[in-house]
Amino acid sequence: MFRSPRQLAIASSLFRKPSTISSLRHYSFQVFRDVPPLRKYRREILLSQRTVGLVPTMGALHEGHLSLIREAAAENSDVFVSIFVNPTQFGVNEDLSSYPRTWDADMAKLEQLNTELRATDDSGQIVAILAPTAQTMYPTLPPSSEIDGDGSFVTITPVSKKLEGASRPVFFRGVATVCMKLFNIVQAERVYFGQKDVQQTVVIRRMVEDFHLDTQVRIIPTMREEDELAMSSRNVYLGARRRAVGLTLIKALRAAESAYFYGHFGRKELLDAANKITEDVLAKQKSLPPSQRALFEVDYISLADVDSLDELEKVNPVKGAVLSGAIKMAPLEKTNSGEDCGLGDGKVPVRLIDNLVLKPKHWGGKAFETK
């Protein structure tokens, strides 16, 4: 039995008939709602000796997603983009319904990008959008977000239990499961992910290696706004005030990065530099009246190994490390007339994540590889 409103919403999506939106408009690419016709099309590409690059997304596309697609088009003749808001990577206390869904805007961006790609010599094209229903992706059981819930899941441990996984215990189980499904459906030669979700890339690369999946994982550097905020579909909820304070995370990581460049390799020296930034900003925000401040909580700031994400006491300068962090922007306590509060009027809490790779300081070391 479905007991919670959230479970009822998921169940409803499972048994809803596929949308007919793809039949109402003409696109320069094909839109697939189910697996068999996509597999038939994929086989035609294979027999034509063309290659496929897959860019998995949950929609609400921004320039970061488009950079992945451009890279996929540069390395493959055909690009598949999946758009699916995956319910199993949302915890039971996370609001699945609040995730932005912007189908028309997404299609417009993909059409514009295809126009750009057609003007580029030797570039591939976006040829297929996989936009499945929940029933397509989870055909036998309604997806569960309970930690011990029933279902067919892929778990990659211990890496999925660290950092983001400590705060969101089912998140990487959901990510690994949906990616395994997408990889099996599309059978792409290459799959593309952004470095911003660094732990996700470690989980996916390990899954591909451990399960002998016949695809190459390509990691593309993080795309940033002019103010250095990492691009994310959730940024639309920030508004001006929380966005300005949300830059604290990248400033903290930059401070630790600077300490590394100046020859500090110890955990205490590096994280002290980052923590000083977050503590100073938070103290200043707490001193302001509710109508002016934007409060946040630091979830973690990590200094970790590039392969295992184990926390490091000291960086090996031959290998480098990954600096990463997460902060939770609280809802605005009080808003002002005419203020830019973002989508949701400043009431939606926003989790911001970011990372920087501390590259080896000597030749011969193994760094976190992108592209």
Side-chain angles (χ1 to χ4, degrees):
M1 293 293 292
F2 303 110
R3 297 177 180 176
S4 70
R6 185 179 184 281
Q7 288 174 312
L8 289 170
I10 293 173
S12 176
S13 70
L14 277 170
F15 299 107
R16 187 186 307 132
K17 289 183 179 180
S19 169
T20 59
I21 189 170
S22 61
S23 64
L24 300 179
R25 299 185 182 181
H26 175 73
Y27 301 117
S28 62
F29 37 76
Q30 295 191 52
V31 177
F32 295 90
R33 301 294 186 184
D34 210 346
V35 175
L38 182 140
R39 281 184 166 160
K40 180 180 178 182
Y41 182 56
R42 175 66 182 95
R43 180 165 176 77
E44 292 172 0
I45 293 174
L46 177 65
L47 294 175
S48 299
Q49 297 186 331
R50 309 196 314 267
T51 60
V52 168
L54 170 65
V55 181
T57 84
M58 294 208 301
L61 302 181
H62 51 69
E63 187 58 36
H65 297 114
L66 301 186
S67 72
L68 301 181
I69 297 170
R70 288 189 184 95
E71 193 66 30
E75 298 179 344
N76 303 275
S77 59
D78 298 81
V79 178
F80 284 39
V81 178
S82 65
I83 297 179
F84 178 63
V85 181
N86 177 35
T88 62
Q89 64 194 66
F90 290 80
V92 292
N93 296 317
E94 296 176 323
D95 190 358
L96 170 65
S97 64
S98 72
Y99 194 87
R101 292 164 171 82
T102 56
W103 175 266
D104 289 338
D106 290 347
M107 294 300 101
K109 289 176 181 178
L110 294 175
E111 284 286 11
Q112 183 176 358
L113 180 54
N114 245 3
T115 299
E116 171 193 317
L117 294 173
R118 281 194 293 269
T120 305
D121 292 339
D122 300 323
S123 176
Q125 299 280 304
I126 305 166
V127 299
I129 308 300
L130 173 57
T133 63
Q135 186 179 11
T136 295
M137 294 303 287
Y138 297 92
T140 59
L141 284 175
S144 172
S145 290
E146 301 286 346
I147 293 176
D148 59 350
D150 293 331
S152 301
F153 298 119
V154 177
T155 56
I156 310 296
T157 60
V159 66
S160 64
K161 296 181 179 180
K162 304 170 184 178
L163 304 178
E164 287 295 294
S167 297
R168 306 179 68 190
V170 302
F171 176 70
F172 288 113
R173 182 185 74 181
V175 168
T177 298
V178 78
C179 283
M180 178 70 85
K181 290 169 180 280
L182 291 171
F183 294 178
N184 283 336
I185 291 168
V186 176
Q187 298 286 305
E189 278 79 9
R190 301 171 187 87
V191 294
Y192 295 79
F193 294 87
Q195 183 191 319
K196 183 184 80 71
D197 301 299
V198 65
Q199 188 174 2
Q200 174 177 276
T201 68
V202 173
V203 169
I204 295 303
R205 291 199 296 189
R206 184 162 295 184
M207 181 184 79
V208 166
E209 181 177 0
D210 285 350
F211 288 93
H212 300 280
L213 302 181
D214 189 18
T215 192
Q216 180 184 3
V217 181
R218 307 285 278 128
I219 311 302
I220 309 305
T222 303
M223 291 292 291
R224 298 185 180 277
E225 306 282 0
E226 290 185 5
D227 59 6
E228 277 228 291
L229 184 69
M231 290 185 179
S232 169
S233 299
R234 296 184 185 273
N235 290 349
V236 296
Y237 294 109
L238 287 173
R241 196 195 320 174
R242 290 197 294 175
R243 180 182 178 120
V245 176
L247 293 172
T248 301
L249 178 56
I250 185 57
K251 291 177 180 178
L253 297 179
R254 290 289 185 204
E257 179 188 51
S258 179
Y260 174 74
F261 286 153
Y262 278 99
H264 298 283
F265 303 140
R267 179 180 186 84
K268 186 177 187 306
E269 297 97 323
L270 298 179
L271 296 193
D272 279 356
N275 290 331
K276 185 178 187 308
I277 299 294
T278 60
E279 290 166 3
D280 287 351
V281 173
L282 187 56
K284 180 179 179 180
Q285 290 300 307
K286 288 181 176 180
S287 71
L288 297 174
S291 61
Q292 296 179 27
R293 68 191 183 191
L295 299 181
F296 64 91
E297 175 188 347
V298 177
D299 189 352
Y300 64 85
I301 295 182
S302 164
L303 177 69
D305 180 83
V306 297
D307 296 314
S308 66
L309 294 185
D310 289 336
E311 294 296 316
L312 298 174
E313 289 302 317
K314 187 175 183 179
V315 180
N316 178 349
V318 176
K319 186 175 184 181
V322 177
L323 275 168
S324 64
I327 64 174
K328 301 174 183 177
M329 299 300 303
L332 295 177
E333 301 164 276
K334 184 177 180 181
T335 60
N336 305 297
S337 178
E339 180 181 9
D340 171 18
C341 298
L343 187 65
D345 297 324
K347 298 176 183 178
V348 179
V350 183
R351 182 181 183 85
L352 300 177
I353 65 171
D354 208 340
N355 67 84
L356 295 172
V357 175
L358 301 181
K359 296 182 179 180
K361 298 178 76 68
H362 307 291
W363 293 107
K366 178 182 180 182
F368 181 85
E369 297 173 359
T370 59
K371 297 184 68 174

